[in-house]
Amino acid sequence: MQYLKSFDRNRSPTGLLVSVTEVQRRRRINSDYELSFMVPMTSDDYKEKIIPKGHVQDERGQFYVVQSRARDRSNKALTAQIVCTHIMFKMIDFKIPYDQYIDEAYGIHISTLLDKISAATGGVYTFVTHDTFDLRDVKDWGRTTALAALQDTVNLYGCEIEPDNFVIHLYKKIGSDKGFQYRLGKNIISDTFKDDSNSLVTRMYSQMKDGRTFIGLSTDNLTVEELSLLQSVPGSIQDGKIMVNYLISPYAQYWTNDVNAFYDGELIDQNIEDPVELLKATREALRKKEMPEFEIGVSAADIHKIDNEEEPAGLGDTVYAYDPDMEMTNISCRVMELTEYPFARDKHSQATLANYMLRDDTQVLADLERSKQVLNDLLSGGRVRASAFEEFAKQAVIDINNSKSEIIYDSRGIVLQDVDDHNIQVIQTSRGIIITEDGGATARTAITGRGIAAEVIAGVLGSFVSMEIGEGNNVTKINTNGISAGHADFNSAPFRLDMAGNLLANSLTANYANILSSHFQDGDIVGSSINIGSGRFTVSSAGYVYADGGFYTGGTVTGAIIRTADPGVYPRVEIDPSSIAFGVYSDENNGILIPAYDGGMSRIKFLANGNESAIYNSPTAGFNFVAYADARIVGAHIYLSSSQQVHIPSWSSLYSEGSYSSLQEELNAIWAAIAGKASANHTHSVTLPTHNHGNVANQNWGGTFQTSGSQ
């Protein structure tokens, strides 16, 4: 029998919740992580173990914080409904420090923001990214709680999160495709199926910061399919460049009709400044909208509760829905929301399946904290605070009163005269308009049929023939040729900008520029940053280089650390001139290291479970092979070749595994055998009886004979 576990506010265990019923867990991608249950108010569970802001742990080991207790009396039964939220949501109680606020920054890695959030929580919450996310431009980030900052980060980088208590995992897409099927006749108890084509888009327009688009971008950035679809629209592609700010869905022909050739939509993202990034975002937005959205609600039998070999569907998993009567023929979709009853065999999980990201009010939990402060400035006790508007209204009345003019009709025409200073006038005559500050004696600004005379012209100027500042060759001109400076002749001017947008300048200093495509010849790039391939190759203004992938041929890398993964991440290969000249690690305690001339010796270290063996060359001891424990040399033939001698401590050190004896023991045995033999020059007599070897034909012989001595 499994039970929920209770913990106090410091997560110290207080016992099992044996009296609770109707345990329900509701999870939604990037949204709800909620646990609720019922408990008798007369039970020890309620009286002693369940406390506000205390903790409850489910069978998955996840902690939830007790947030609310709703008490209910039904006849004589007193019960309470307990609602808990995942411990991840406690990040709402941490504020991002003011000095960590980001007003505006460019090319920021997701880890930068996550590290700031983790630091704001005192390191209580940590983050693990399992995918590579593109660098993003960040604006107005961190003026919130840690939870709201995490929500902003998730939205900015397009992440999906999977919390494991205080460790938050971030993926591009959580879940997996295990082939799980919701199927009528197998596990579907009831289901609903809704499709919605209100937001259908087959042609997606887009624009980025300052209203710019990807018009003029090379068609090399388009897929073959996108290029083919755009080429079907006259004028969309010219000279290898995109001339429109939209992409067309391959399903457009299916949905077209005599009213709508396309269903148009628009993406506006002020955080994007790179046309290539805008094109990618447009492509992604179109893919999400080019088919009708659908949502499936399934009540499914939890077969895994009675069959351990049956694996349940997980949040974010890609699953397949099959109910032909409901027009679901093995539709592929994702599990966006799960309501589970982990301790009840008689209750079945409820799943919401969809082909788009569900949205609901709970997703703005983090944003609510931010907007709450704004509302508090305007509302007090449910009433609108007039003081919030008084300053604005007061100033508006003052400005209106100050702008009042007297209207005078005289021989000059219609005169608008300032009520406080009668010398300030606007005179409308049949010949033009005069603005004067001396009662009409002179004109500060005049507009006549011949032109405009003014000390300063501010605003947007329309069509005109020519404008000149200066004289001779020390002149700046604006005319039908374009803009030129430094010479009276446009084609000889050292600075000129023609009507086609072509710019020539002897020198250029730009505090900020966005160059879509260019060719640099000679010269230096000083004090700037470089970003190529959406952050895959960057050079910061401080001169730091970041490269993600690539091929390098020739050249020299001096004084750099080269590693295949960050410190602490394994397996890893590392070259560090200051410490380990070369190292190959499978984990922290296993690998091969070549130190940089370690202790005056050339050395190769072999680590196994933290124990070290080494090969090194010492100026005094010579070449050494040192093993931590046993050492083996294995080969078909092993040769020892020395120009002088091969030294071993003793013959006892040479041991035969076949005879289980050392060379010393064998030598001792040989010497012992030799010692039992006769000494040199020994003789003795031998007596043989008379015999004929059993053959009567032989002569009988015998006698005593003397042996010869050993030679």
Side-chain angles (χ1 to χ4, degrees), residues 302-508:
D302 291 335
I303 300 177
H304 65 275
K305 292 180 180 178
I306 58 176
D307 184 356
N308 293 332
E309 295 183 357
E310 187 74 20
E311 189 172 359
L315 187 65
D317 282 356
T318 298
V319 297
Y320 303 88
Y322 182 80
D323 186 347
D325 297 336
M326 293 288 286
E327 299 182 351
M328 293 187 294
T329 54
N330 215 35
I331 295 176
S332 174
C333 45
R334 292 186 70 200
V335 179
M336 310 304 293
E337 180 179 354
L338 270 179
T339 301
E340 303 164 290
Y341 303 90
F343 303 120
R345 287 177 174 263
D346 59 336
K347 291 189 175 182
H348 307 291
S349 62
Q350 313 291 321
T352 299
L353 318 177
N355 64 341
Y356 65 99
M357 182 66 75
L358 302 180
R359 301 172 179 85
D360 63 7
D361 292 338
T362 59
Q363 284 184 284
V364 299
L365 176 62
D367 295 331
L368 181 60
E369 177 67 18
R370 176 168 47 196
S371 61
K372 181 174 67 176
Q373 299 301 323
V374 178
L375 291 174
N376 286 340
D377 288 339
L378 300 178
L379 302 175
S380 178
R383 297 185 178 183
V384 177
R385 292 171 52 194
S387 60
F389 302 100
E390 285 179 355
E391 290 301 319
F392 168 78
K394 179 180 178 181
Q395 187 62 41
V397 172
I398 293 173
D399 292 341
I400 292 173
N401 288 335
N402 287 343
S403 68
K404 288 183 177 179
S405 301
E406 294 179 347
I407 302 177
I408 301 173
Y409 298 90
D410 61 17
S411 59
R412 294 174 297 177
I414 301 174
V415 180
L416 304 178
Q417 182 173 278
D418 189 277
V419 294
D420 297 321
D421 187 348
H422 292 179
N423 286 322
I424 299 176
Q425 299 175 345
V426 177
I427 305 172
Q428 299 181 11
T429 72
S430 60
R431 297 292 181 91
I433 299 174
I434 300 172
I435 301 174
T436 178
E437 294 182 355
D438 56 8
T442 60
R444 293 292 300 271
T445 303
I447 303 175
T448 69
R450 299 180 60 184
I452 300 174
E455 299 172 2
V456 176
I457 298 178
V460 180
L461 300 177
S463 300
F464 57 90
V465 176
S466 179
M467 178 182 292
E468 295 186 11
I469 302 173
E471 58 184 12
N473 288 330
N474 189 23
V475 64
T476 297
K477 291 185 176 184
I478 303 176
N479 51 38
T480 54
N481 291 322
I483 303 173
S484 63
H487 200 282
D489 180 25
F490 179 87
N491 294 321
S492 300
F495 174 90
R496 55 184 181 269
L497 173 64
D498 64 22
M499 292 299 189
N502 299 308
L503 172 66
L504 184 146
N506 279 357
S507 65
L508 174 65

Side-chain angles (χ1 to χ4, degrees), residues 3-64:
Y3 298 100
L4 293 174
K5 298 177 183 178
S6 64
F7 297 77
D8 63 14
R9 295 185 181 94
N10 294 316
R11 297 188 310 286
S12 297
T14 57
L16 300 176
L17 299 178
V18 298
S19 301
V20 303
T21 58
E22 300 182 31
V23 180
Q24 174 184 291
R25 179 173 57 229
R26 187 163 69 94
R27 296 180 293 152
R28 173 174 282 192
I29 295 178
N30 287 0
S31 182
D32 296 338
Y33 267 76
E34 184 179 277
L35 184 74
S36 63
F37 54 86
M38 303 295 293
V39 60
M41 294 179 62
T42 56
S43 66
D44 291 340
D45 286 353
Y46 179 80
K47 293 179 179 180
E48 301 175 3
K49 302 173 186 176
I50 300 173
I51 60 175
K53 295 297 183 181
H55 297 81
V56 174
Q57 188 181 51
D58 65 9
E59 86 288 358
R60 299 167 62 244
Q62 298 299 300
F63 283 102
Y64 296 80

Side-chain angles (χ1 to χ4, degrees), residues 615-672:
I615 299 174
Y616 65 89
N617 187 26
S618 168
T620 57
F623 186 76
N624 291 263
F625 176 87
V626 181
Y628 168 74
D630 296 337
R632 289 178 171 82
I633 300 176
V634 180
H637 301 281
I638 297 175
Y639 301 92
L640 296 177
S641 177
S642 171
S643 62
Q644 295 183 10
Q645 296 174 323
V646 177
H647 294 259
I648 61 173
S650 68
W651 294 123
S652 298
S653 299
L654 290 177
Y655 185 82
S656 170
E657 292 186 348
S659 60
Y660 304 102
S661 61
S662 67
L663 179 57
Q664 185 64 60
E665 291 173 333
E666 294 293 332
L667 291 174
N668 291 342
I670 292 172
W671 283 114

